[in-house]
Amino acid sequence: MIRPMISCWLVLLGITSSASAQSCAADPVAVQILGSGGPAINRERASASYLLWVGNQAKVIVDMGGGAYLRFGQSQAKLSDLSMVAVSHLHPDHVSDLPALLWLSHQTRKEPLPIVGPSGNEVAPSFPTFLGRLFDEKNGAFQVLGATLGAAQGNSVRLEVGVVDVTKAEPSTVYEGQGVTVTALGIPHGNIPTLAYRVRTGDVSVVFSSDQTGTNPRFIEFAKGANVLVMHLAIASGATSPLHAAPAVVGRVAQDAGVGRLIVSHIGLFDLDPAIADVKRFYTGPVTVGADLQCTPVR
């Protein structure tokens, strides 16, 4: 009697198990969304996080917002398979689950883990400073994770930390190995230093835009011809923001870049249909509306 009662309560509460996750391991290359939501509480969506699968391994994770640690487990990805962690910027809805990902990571991974993030300015620290404030073995908020930055004692894998100057005009190569090349470019997101990432493996490329206003023409060149572009649909049709591109701008950017497929994610709490209609007025290719644990093959 206990098992049926538990199942009924899970259904009533809307709790799903990892069995509901789509499998990405069957596709040669696939994008999996771990978190398709934004900073506001949304019971259907974790905050921003993405995996790029190559073969049956998750090789790159982009961002680690709230709820992404749970989704990482549900995806059946392995920390030991990751080639790198790419952080777009330091807003909490993009990086708050990073300590959870690293806690006890030394139990499943022995090799150092490359991680990259943006340079700083007057309103945000550089990525290495941010990590030091979190994990320094003497002064960090999570001193128990001091091994991430090279401490002799600690319950985590060591990080190989890289930083990209967001003001640099040309893309920077931040990782190359295991058949994967990752480049990064600074993009406009108010006054917060922010990076977009392009991942190439074999003859396909995926661009992860993160939050941006869509006003930098260099991003069009950066995303040019990508098989898949992930862009954020954070504001409603007819809305404006100093931080985020309007839906119509998202569509224009994807069209001008000539990408093969557009995935919209980081979806806010608004009427989605008019926003998607705005996107499709400008982008004539296929559009995928993101959802947590969704997999999209890259072809």
Side-chain angles (χ1 to χ4, degrees), residues 3-4 15 23 38 61 97 124 141 180 183 198 209 213 250 264 270 282:
R3 289 178 182 268
I15 298 172
S23 173
I61 185 167
D97 265 15
V180 173
T183 54
R198 182 170 182 140
S209 159
T213 58
V250 171
V264 292
F270 52 79
F282 294 93

Side-chain angles (χ1 to χ4, degrees), residues 65-142:
Y69 181 56
L70 170 64
R71 298 298 192 215
F72 186 84
Q74 290 174 326
S75 76
Q76 301 181 54
K78 297 178 181 178
L79 190 74
S80 57
D81 291 338
L82 288 178
S83 295
M84 72 166 299
V85 178
V87 173
S88 66
H89 64 289
L90 303 183
H91 276 155
D93 57 317
H94 291 260
V95 75
S96 61
D97 265 15
L98 180 61
L101 179 71
L102 296 174
W103 177 240
L104 302 182
S105 55
H106 67 302
Q107 295 181 356
T108 56
R109 183 185 180 103
K110 304 307 177 187
E111 301 81 11
L113 178 62
I115 188 169
V116 176
S119 56
N121 62 9
E122 68 281 0
V123 299
S126 69
F127 191 55
T129 299
F130 171 78
L131 293 177
R133 291 175 180 176
L134 281 180
F135 304 135
D136 182 83
E137 62 178 316
K138 296 188 182 298
N139 301 306
F142 297 99

Side-chain angles (χ1 to χ4, degrees), residues 9 13 16 46 54 57 72 112 142 163-164 184 205 211 223 232 238-239 241-242 246 254:
W9 277 110
L13 292 172
T16 57
V54 180
Q57 294 183 331
F72 186 84
F142 297 99
V163 61
V164 176
S205 294
D211 296 344
H232 287 177
S241 167

Side-chain angles (χ1 to χ4, degrees), residues 170-194:
E170 298 300 320
S172 300
T173 299
V174 296
Y175 179 84
E176 194 164 12
Q178 302 183 54
V180 173
T181 300
V182 184
T183 54
L185 179 73
I187 51 176
H189 180 41
N191 59 357
I192 299 296
T194 303

Side-chain angles (χ1 to χ4, degrees), residues 15-278:
I15 298 172
T16 57
S17 71
S18 59
S20 63
Q22 298 180 34
S23 173
C24 292
D27 297 302
V29 183
V31 174
Q32 184 168 31
I33 299 176
L34 298 185
S36 60
I41 293 174
N42 186 330
R43 65 180 184 177
E44 303 296 333
R45 302 179 187 273
S47 291
S49 186
Y50 308 96
L51 286 175
L52 184 75
W53 289 78
V54 180
N56 61 354
Q57 294 183 331
K59 303 304 293 182
V60 178
I61 185 167
V62 179
D63 284 345
M64 200 69 191
Y69 181 56
L70 170 64
R71 298 298 192 215
F72 186 84
Q74 290 174 326
S75 76
Q76 301 181 54
K78 297 178 181 178
L79 190 74
S80 57
D81 291 338
L82 288 178
S83 295
M84 72 166 299
V85 178
V87 173
S88 66
H89 64 289
L90 303 183
H91 276 155
D93 57 317
H94 291 260
V95 75
S96 61
D97 265 15
L98 180 61
L101 179 71
L102 296 174
W103 177 240
L104 302 182
S105 55
H106 67 302
Q107 295 181 356
T108 56
R109 183 185 180 103
K110 304 307 177 187
E111 301 81 11
L113 178 62
I115 188 169
V116 176
S119 56
N121 62 9
E122 68 281 0
V123 299
S126 69
F127 191 55
T129 299
F130 171 78
L131 293 177
R133 291 175 180 176
L134 281 180
F135 304 135
D136 182 83
E137 62 178 316
K138 296 188 182 298
N139 301 306
F142 297 99
Q143 296 178 42
V144 292
L145 288 171
T148 59
L149 302 181
Q153 301 294 323
N155 296 296
S156 60
V157 68
R158 184 172 66 83
L159 298 175
E160 292 181 346
V161 181
V163 61
V164 176
D165 182 355
V166 301
T167 67
K168 188 177 176 182
E170 298 300 320
S172 300
T173 299
V174 296
Y175 179 84
E176 194 164 12
Q178 302 183 54
V180 173
T181 300
V182 184
T183 54
L185 179 73
I187 51 176
H189 180 41
N191 59 357
I192 299 296
T194 303
L195 295 170
Y197 291 93
R198 182 170 182 140
V199 185
R200 188 184 80 240
T201 181
D203 60 353
V204 300
S205 294
V206 177
V207 173
F208 298 91
S209 159
S210 191
D211 296 344
Q212 64 157 309
T213 58
T215 56
N216 186 348
R218 289 180 299 164
F219 179 75
I220 302 295
E221 292 303 314
F222 183 72
K224 186 73 74 176
N227 298 82
V228 172
L229 169 62
V230 181
M231 285 199 73
H232 287 177
L233 197 67
I235 60 175
S237 174
T240 60
S241 167
L243 298 176
H244 297 285
V249 174
V250 171
R252 282 199 296 267
V253 168
Q255 186 70 19
D256 291 347
V259 301
R261 174 176 293 275
L262 172 64
I263 300 175
V264 292
S265 185
H266 201 268
I267 295 169
L269 300 173
F270 52 79
D271 188 352
L272 192 54
D273 289 343
I276 297 299
D278 281 358

